Structures are given as C-alpha cells and as structure tokens.
Amino acid sequence: LYKGSIASIFFAEPAQSKIPTACKAGDVLFGTCYYASDNSSLPGDGKRPGGFSISFVTGPKAAKATSNDTPTPPEEERSHEDELNEAVRDLKLEHLRKLKGKEKEAAKFTKLYDELVKDYPDHLPLLLEGLRNVDDGPDRKSKLGAIVEASDKIIDKIAVDELATHYGRNYDKQSPTESKERKEMDKKKAALTEALARKARARSLEDDGSDKFDAALNELKKWVDIDAKQEYAFLVLDRDSKAKHYGKVLGYVKTLLKNDGEGTKKGIAPLSRSDLLKRRAEVLVHLGYNELGVINQELLLVAGPKSYLPF
C-alpha cells in the first residue's frame, strides 16, 4: 500500500482441522499478525516490533456429514386392511421359501404357490420364488420350457420402458419421494435381470440350432455388463463356447481360477474350482491339447473327490 492509503483486511475462520483438539466452545485463541516482511538490506526491523495482536473465539464443533444419511420417505396413508393383507402375504411367502428346495415338500410348495399366485398375481418376489424353485431344482434340463415360461411371466409384469426412462435421468438423493421411487425401481430391475439371466441360461441348454440364446442374452445385456461382472460368468463361457472362441474361454477360466470362482458365488449359477477345471479340460481337448486335458482331469479328481479314504 502507498503511504497514507487505507485498506480493510478480513481474517477467515480457520478450518476445523487446524483448531487444537483440546479447544472447547468459547475458548479464545491468541496470535500475532504482521503486515510487512523483514528487509535485510535496510536498517531496523522493517515491520512493527511485536506485530498486531489477533484473537479468535472457538465455536461448537460441526457435526460430521455422513454419505449414508438417507432422507426419510413420507408415510403413506394405508388402511388397516391393506397393512394386514400385506403382513399375511409376506408371512405366507416366508413359509413358501422354507419349503423351496425340499424334495419331500415339493407338493406342499406347488399347492401353496398356486394359491398365492391367485391372490397376488403381480407380486414379483412371489413370482421369483416360483422361478427359482423350477430353475434350482433337480432335473432342470427336463424343465427348460417351464423355466422360460416362469421367466417370461416376470418379464411381462415389469414395464421395461418405464424402468429404462427412470434410469435415464438422475434423481435427487435428498428427496424422500424420489429416493423411495429409486428403491422400488432397483427391486424391479433386480427381478428383471435375474429373470433374463435364468431365461438365457435355459436357452443355452436348448440344442435346437436357433438363435434364442443370443436373443435372450442381448436382452440381458441391455441392463447389465455381463463381461464385467463375474456373477454372469456362466453365460459368458456359454456364449464364447457356442461361438467356438476357445481361446477367450480358456483365458476367462484362467481369470476365474485365480480366486477359485469366488466372484461367481453371488450369481444364479456359481462355479466351483471343480467346475472351472472341468471347463478348462474340455476347452484344451477342443484346442487339440489332449495331454493337458488329461492333466486337468487329474486335477479335477483332486479338487473335487467324491469320497475320502478312512484314516
């Protein structure tokens, strides 16, 4: 500044991380401020000795913001009958899940499922349990038509265009209404992708020379990147095997073997180390490496023995 001129100076509040942790609200911090720097080429201090005193009164510590804070959705006005009906439905569905996968309870599962479908034909979690029961059960190769039918029943219940429009725009995470809508859409998307994946898996086992498998796979790829997610590894391997891209299959199996197929465990068709070694042995034979195929068969016996010798 030129001699005789005046300027206003404002001191910003220090960052919370710069304030000593021992300070409490109301404590006063003192310091010194200088408005000129030393000049060694001139005699004297070059600045006011002792400087100018400055003080700061600390305030309360700011609350830490968390990214997990989600807005509370507005409460819906529902009748007592609606709430009771949903509670009864969920209770029956939970009992249905306990019957799934038990051969002795198959008749009970079918009877209860048919009754629930009549009462709640549009309830996606219920339809998913029916699909899983058919697809995960024994002798699934003889039930491919039923698997495709159960998958289509779920796909037809979901407004795909509405779902695509919703994910085509950003939503306000601080809006309770929009956050609730996103959760509902996430559930519909999860049901859709599972149904499409199971349908594609069933189509891959059909040996009728049609392109139904590719069509089902293309529908799934509209919603998920199957090459980037290992839970869809079984579909990637089937696709490349059908296309006779054995080099790609071999490379992908090698990647999956690094963690013994752990990345596939969340999918509908998890692959164990034994499954992957079997796949690799088949590919090596296709490529003409019969000796390596035999070695992989031996590794398969070690990885998944049918029984153990007593000791």
Side-chain angles (χ1 to χ4, degrees):
L1 293 176
Y2 292 104
K3 184 177 180 180
S5 60
I6 300 174
S8 298
I9 298 177
F10 299 91
F11 292 89
E13 179 182 352
Q16 188 74 38
S17 59
K18 301 295 183 181
I19 298 176
T21 56
C23 287
K24 298 179 181 179
D27 289 350
V28 182
L29 301 177
F30 296 95
T32 304
C33 176
Y34 296 94
Y35 298 104
S37 58
D38 292 328
N39 190 340
S40 58
S41 63
L42 297 176
D45 289 335
K47 60 182 180 180
R48 180 178 178 179
F52 298 86
S53 62
I54 186 172
S55 62
F56 171 72
V57 180
T58 60
K61 294 183 179 179
K64 294 183 179 179
T66 59
S67 58
N68 295 328
D69 291 341
T70 54
T72 304
E75 293 185 2
E76 293 183 0
E77 293 184 1
R78 296 187 301 171
S79 65
H80 176 70
E81 289 76 11
D82 290 338
E83 293 180 353
L84 182 60
N85 185 41
E86 286 188 11
V88 172
R89 179 201 64 193
D90 294 341
L91 184 62
K92 290 181 178 180
L93 181 57
E94 187 62 30
H95 181 65
L96 184 73
R97 291 192 179 104
K98 294 178 181 179
L99 298 176
K100 184 172 69 71
K102 298 179 181 179
E103 188 174 352
K104 294 181 179 179
E105 308 291 350
K108 292 182 180 179
F109 179 95
T110 303
K111 181 181 178 181
L112 180 57
Y113 176 75
D114 292 340
E115 292 175 358
L116 291 176
V117 168
K118 289 180 182 179
D119 296 334
Y120 315 103
D122 299 326
H123 191 48
L124 291 178
L126 173 61
L127 299 178
L128 275 173
E129 290 303 322
L131 171 59
R132 292 165 182 166
N133 183 64
V134 179
D135 196 22
D136 296 338
D139 238 358
R140 63 180 301 273
K141 289 186 178 181
S142 63
K143 303 175 183 177
L144 298 180
I147 296 172
V148 173
E149 183 181 351
S151 300
D152 285 336
K153 188 180 294 185
I154 295 173
I155 297 169
D156 293 340
K157 295 290 183 182
I158 299 174
V160 178
D161 292 338
E162 179 186 351
L163 199 64
T165 302
H166 175 82
Y167 284 103
R169 61 177 176 82
N170 292 326
Y171 76 102
D172 184 4
K173 296 181 180 180
Q174 299 304 317
S175 169
T177 303
E178 292 190 23
S179 296
K180 182 180 179 180
E181 182 184 9
R182 173 53 63 95
K183 287 184 178 180
E184 293 299 319
M185 288 297 181
D186 285 344
K187 292 177 182 178
K188 290 183 179 181
K189 182 182 177 182
L192 177 64
T193 53
E194 182 175 343
L196 288 171
R198 291 183 182 275
K199 180 179 179 179
R201 184 188 178 203
R203 291 298 192 193
S204 69
L205 295 175
E206 294 177 341
D207 192 14
D208 55 3
S210 66
D211 58 352
K212 293 179 180 179
F213 171 67
D214 292 331
L217 203 61
N218 288 335
E219 287 298 316
L220 176 62
K221 287 164 64 177
K222 293 178 181 179
W223 299 98
V224 292
D225 185 358
I226 63 173
D227 292 284
K229 295 187 176 182
Q230 290 189 358
E231 51 259 45
Y232 299 100
F234 63 98
L235 290 176
V236 175
L237 293 173
D238 286 349
R239 177 199 64 191
D240 293 340
S241 296
K242 287 179 178 293
K244 298 183 180 180
H245 296 162
Y246 299 123
K248 293 177 66 176
V249 175
L250 191 61
Y252 196 35
V253 169
K254 180 181 179 182
T255 300
L256 296 173
L257 277 171
K258 290 180 180 179
N259 59 358
D260 292 336
E262 190 64 31
T264 68
K265 296 296 187 288
K266 294 181 179 180
I268 64 173
L271 299 171
S272 64
R273 179 174 177 80
S274 298
D275 296 328
L276 295 172
L277 289 173
K278 184 178 179 181
R279 289 261 190 173
R280 189 167 70 176
E282 293 172 352
V283 173
L284 289 171
V285 171
H286 278 297
L287 292 173
Y289 301 113
N290 296 323
E291 295 83 359
L292 293 177
V294 172
I295 294 174
N296 270 264
Q297 289 289 354
E298 294 174 351
L299 291 174
L300 179 59
L301 295 174
V302 176
K306 295 182 180 180
S307 61
Y308 296 89
L309 291 175
F311 58 91

